[in-house]
């Protein structure tokens, strides 16, 4: 009786679908990525909410390019070819305007949020080593100092009022000078006050700094700093609510 009960439990249910010996298992449905047109539409909606003038600027860019193409076509006595070439170039110009405005809109959404400077550092081009978390932070005021390592050296980006965040910057610069005496330490203040750098111009400003290190030296400096570890207990919420400007989405890729 025991054997019969075991055999009955081991047999497949009558309701279960049968599969042939060489029949493949059904594939799981994969999540489809949104198309480029859908991505551009989402970026356009987000940008328009923060920058209502973007529609007219894009239209003006499109019409200007088409007009120039038509003018050249008339001068060459072939306006049809000029129009055929001008329309796609006009669309390209409009998308370029959208990408630039979308990036500014994305920064506007995270501005004044804790950790916004760290998010801005995430848009740096290749050659920079950055961290998501700050290297120094005031848990009470959430003033913070973020760090990026690149060919210009080490860049400290402060977030908060100058008089309030200055002790954090000075302490971190003193620590870095002790372990990296031959590496230049730059300090930038993010914000819209006097002497501060807006978030949307932070990456561009850092890219203009004089290059002093090679790529090999950048890696060596990064390993040296990482070997010391992070001494700070990072408070919750310092990452700007996971809101980061997406360069790929902004460009509609």
């Amino acid at each position: 009786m025991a054997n019969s009960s075991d055999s009955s439990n081991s047999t497949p249910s009558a309701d279960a679908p049968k599969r042939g010996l060489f029949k493949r298992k059904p594939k799981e449905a994969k999540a489809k990525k949104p198309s480029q047109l859908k991505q551009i539409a989402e970026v356009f909606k987000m940008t328009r909410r923060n920058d209502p003038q973007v529609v007219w600027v894009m239209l003006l860019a499109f019409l200007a390019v088409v007009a120039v193409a038509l003018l050249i076509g008339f001068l060459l006595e072939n306006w049809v070819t000029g129009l055929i070439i001008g329309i796609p170039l006009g669309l390209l110009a409009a998308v370029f305007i959208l990408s630039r405005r979308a990036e500014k809109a994305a920064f506007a959404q995270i501005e004044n949020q804790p950790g916004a400077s760290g998010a801005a550092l995430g848009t740096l081009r290749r050659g920079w080593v950055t961290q998501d978390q700050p290297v120094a932070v005031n848990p009470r005021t959430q003033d913070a100092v973020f760090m990026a390592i690149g060919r210009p050296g080490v860049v400290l980006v402060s977030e908060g009022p100058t008089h309030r965040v200055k002790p954090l910057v000075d302490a971190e610069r003193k620590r870095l000078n002790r372990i990296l005496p031959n590496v230049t330490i730059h300090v930038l203040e993010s914000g819209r006050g006097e002497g501060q750098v807006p978030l949307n111009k932070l990456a561009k400003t850092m890219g203009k700094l004089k290059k002093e290190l090679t790529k090999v030296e950048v890696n060596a400096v990064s390993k040296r700093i990482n070997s010391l570890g992070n001494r700070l207990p990072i408070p919750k919420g310092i990452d700007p609510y996971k809101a980061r400007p997406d360069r790929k989405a902004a460009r509609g890729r």
Side-chain angles (χ1 to χ4, degrees), residues 8-249:
S8 62
N9 292 336
S10 61
T11 56
S13 174
D15 297 334
K18 295 182 179 181
R19 184 167 59 89
L21 182 61
F22 300 102
K23 191 176 181 180
R24 294 182 178 179
K25 293 182 179 180
K27 295 182 179 180
E28 297 181 358
K30 295 183 179 179
K32 294 184 178 180
K33 294 183 178 180
S35 63
Q36 280 191 343
L37 290 178
K38 189 174 182 179
Q39 288 181 356
I40 293 176
E42 292 175 354
V43 170
F44 176 77
K45 291 178 182 179
M46 181 272 294
T47 307
R48 190 179 181 182
R49 285 196 300 268
N50 294 274
D51 184 7
Q53 299 296 327
V54 67
V55 180
W56 302 109
V57 177
M58 291 175 62
L59 181 61
L60 181 62
F62 173 78
L63 294 177
V65 172
V66 173
V68 172
L70 276 176
L71 179 60
I72 296 175
F74 278 118
L75 292 177
L76 298 177
E77 298 182 355
N78 192 352
W79 66 270
V80 176
T81 303
L83 183 62
I84 294 175
I85 296 175
I87 290 177
L89 289 180
L91 292 174
L92 184 62
V95 172
F96 176 77
I97 294 295
L98 175 62
S99 67
R100 299 298 297 269
R101 295 277 183 143
E103 187 172 345
K104 291 182 179 179
F107 279 119
Q109 287 185 340
I110 65 172
E111 195 169 10
N112 298 325
Q113 293 186 17
S117 300
L121 293 181
T123 64
L124 288 169
R125 298 181 182 275
R126 292 182 179 179
W128 288 91
V129 180
T130 61
Q131 297 178 357
D132 293 337
Q133 302 293 350
V135 295
V137 66
N138 186 330
R140 183 176 61 85
T141 62
Q142 289 196 343
D143 296 337
V145 178
F146 291 86
M147 180 174 61
I149 307 167
R151 295 192 62 186
V154 178
V155 181
L156 298 177
V157 179
S158 65
E159 183 177 279
T162 303
H163 67 280
R164 207 168 62 191
V165 77
K166 188 176 185 299
L168 292 176
V169 175
D170 292 342
E172 186 61 25
R173 180 160 48 184
K174 183 178 179 181
R175 184 179 77 93
L176 292 174
N177 283 330
R178 187 170 62 252
I179 63 176
L180 301 168
N182 298 321
V183 178
T184 304
I185 311 296
H186 304 271
V187 177
L188 297 177
E189 297 182 19
S190 64
R192 294 192 175 274
E194 185 178 356
Q196 295 181 332
V197 182
L199 287 178
N200 61 328
K201 296 182 180 180
L202 191 59
K204 185 177 180 180
T205 301
M206 293 174 62
K208 292 181 179 180
L209 296 175
K210 182 181 178 181
K211 296 178 175 59
E212 300 180 4
L213 303 178
T214 64
K215 294 181 179 179
V216 176
E217 291 172 336
V218 170
N219 292 330
V221 170
S222 177
K223 290 179 180 179
R224 172 62 176 165
I225 295 176
N226 290 334
S227 65
L228 300 177
N230 193 344
R231 305 162 295 151
L232 296 171
I234 304 302
K236 294 181 180 179
I238 198 65
D239 199 22
Y241 311 113
K242 302 299 182 182
R244 296 180 176 274
D246 190 345
R247 296 178 69 93
K248 292 184 179 179

